[in-house]
């Protein structure tokens, strides 16, 4: 591991803090992620254990960040398309030289609730509650860069049937990070009540070919014990409901 990899978070905001994001520039590089080249045999062995425990997992290719800088509201990075199996192995140790960056569309009802999803038992995050989202992949590459908003729109539609075009987007992006996982997020305000949104999601689940979610929930407070939250949700909930106080 290089010295530059060991110091790859210099100047970042504190862990768990929410910070404004003014620009996002995430480049996709050709070739293989250095972590994948270094750890491919260990990743392959770990994958065998993972699918023995959960045969429903799929080893697709996802965008896995290698270099990432977060400073003065600018998020810049370089990533590679990498097997999901390699990412799962990295996630167990979260070594320098790798980052998981993903995007949350924070879907808010007209009565002030965040509407989130609960992941199904056969997924890589069973039972976790968070905003409808998914790791970026080939579908989210436009002109060699990550299309963050395109990813949000696609994932929200696939998982919930909600169209972000029906919502009013707040102008600003924000970010937060915990244990080398970086969340970029934007608030989208829908014209429907939380109850209406939950009904729409339930109807979508009945006809959708996607089976990654186990249901949806309306979140009305920052109480971290209200649901089995993904760690990425906690600073966002504190920030969002703190704004309402």
């Amino acid at each position: 591991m290089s010295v530059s990899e060991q110091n790859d978070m210099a100047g970042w905001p504190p862990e768990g803090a929410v910070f404004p994001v003014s620009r996002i520039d995430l480049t996709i590089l050709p070739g293989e992620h250095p972590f994948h080249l270094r750890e491919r045999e260990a990743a392959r062995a770990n994958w065998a254990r993972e699918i023995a425990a959960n045969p429903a997992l799929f080893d697709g290719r996802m965008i896995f960040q290698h270099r990432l800088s977060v400073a003065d509201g600018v998020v810049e990075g370089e990533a590679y398309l990498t097997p999901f199996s390699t990412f799962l192995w990295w996630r167990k140790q979260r070594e320098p030289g790798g980052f998981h960056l993903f995007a949350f569309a924070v879907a808010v009802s007209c009565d002030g609730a965040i509407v989130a999803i609960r992941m199904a038992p056969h997924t890589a995050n069973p039972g976790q509650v968070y905003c409808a989202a998914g790791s970026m992949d080939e579908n989210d590459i436009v002109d060699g860069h990550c299309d963050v908003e395109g990813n949000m729109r696609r994932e929200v539609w696939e998982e919930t049937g909600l169209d972000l075009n029906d919502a009013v987007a707040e102008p600003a992006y924000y970010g937060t990070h915990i244990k080398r996982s970086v969340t970029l997020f934007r608030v989208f305000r829908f014209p429907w009540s939380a109850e209406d949104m939950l009904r729409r999601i339930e109807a979508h689940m009945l006809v959708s070919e996607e089976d990654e979610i186990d249901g949806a929930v309306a979140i009305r407070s920052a109480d971290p014990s209200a649901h089995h939250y993904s760690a990425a949700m906690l600073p966002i909930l504190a920030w969002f409901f703190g704004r309402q106080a």
Side-chain angles (χ1 to χ4, degrees):
M1 188 183 304
S2 69
V3 173
S4 62
E5 283 185 338
Q6 294 173 10
N7 299 320
D8 62 357
M9 297 178 71
W12 283 41
E15 260 200 9
V18 170
F19 53 87
V21 173
S22 57
R23 185 165 64 87
I24 302 167
D25 185 4
L26 303 170
T27 303
I28 312 301
L29 300 177
E32 301 286 358
H33 196 294
F35 180 83
H36 176 70
L37 294 175
R38 191 166 63 235
E39 297 284 330
R40 72 176 96 193
E41 294 304 321
R44 187 176 293 119
N46 181 69
W47 181 247
R49 295 189 293 269
E50 296 279 0
I51 60 172
N54 185 357
L57 293 176
F58 173 66
D59 195 16
R61 289 172 69 80
M62 59 173 281
I63 296 172
F64 183 28
Q65 301 293 323
H66 174 47
R67 296 186 181 90
L68 201 61
S69 66
V70 180
D72 300 322
V74 177
V75 178
E76 293 182 303
E78 294 179 340
Y80 298 86
L81 281 169
T82 305
F84 180 65
S85 54
T86 294
F87 165 72
L88 275 189
W89 175 237
W90 173 86
R91 192 171 73 167
K92 290 188 171 182
Q93 52 230 308
R94 297 177 184 263
E95 285 191 6
F99 298 92
H100 185 209
L101 183 144
F102 52 93
F104 278 174
V106 181
V108 178
S109 65
C110 67
D111 51 348
I114 293 176
V115 175
I117 52 92
R118 181 177 58 250
M119 296 301 289
H122 63 270
T123 64
N125 300 309
Q128 289 190 14
V129 170
Y130 50 87
C131 297
S135 295
M136 287 183 270
D137 60 27
E138 288 106 325
N139 296 301
D140 306 309
I141 301 174
V142 177
D143 297 329
H145 291 74
C146 294
D147 178 10
V148 172
E149 184 150 333
N151 167 265
M152 290 192 297
R153 292 181 182 279
R154 178 175 62 83
E155 291 289 346
V156 170
W157 173 254
E158 289 177 356
E159 294 186 353
T160 70
L162 299 176
D163 188 341
L164 292 184
N165 288 324
D166 291 327
V168 175
E170 291 192 2
Y173 276 86
Y174 295 88
T176 185
H177 70 97
I178 298 174
K179 295 181 179 177
R180 307 184 70 84
S181 283
V182 179
T183 312
L184 303 178
F185 68 94
R186 190 179 188 185
V187 175
F188 290 82
R189 295 188 176 273
F190 283 83
W192 310 306
S193 70
E195 185 177 346
D196 286 342
M197 292 176 70
L198 293 178
R199 277 199 296 263
R200 288 167 184 264
I201 295 170
E202 288 170 3
H204 174 75
M205 291 174 64
L206 292 175
V207 299
S208 174
E209 295 181 1
E210 299 286 329
D211 63 350
E212 290 190 339
I213 77 169
D214 197 33
V217 300
I219 304 168
R220 298 188 181 275
S221 80
D223 178 5
S225 64
H227 299 282
H228 176 42
Y229 288 119
S230 157
M233 282 295 287
L234 301 182
I236 296 172
L237 296 179
W239 170 85
F240 179 83
F241 290 106
R243 292 198 311 175
Q244 318 305 311

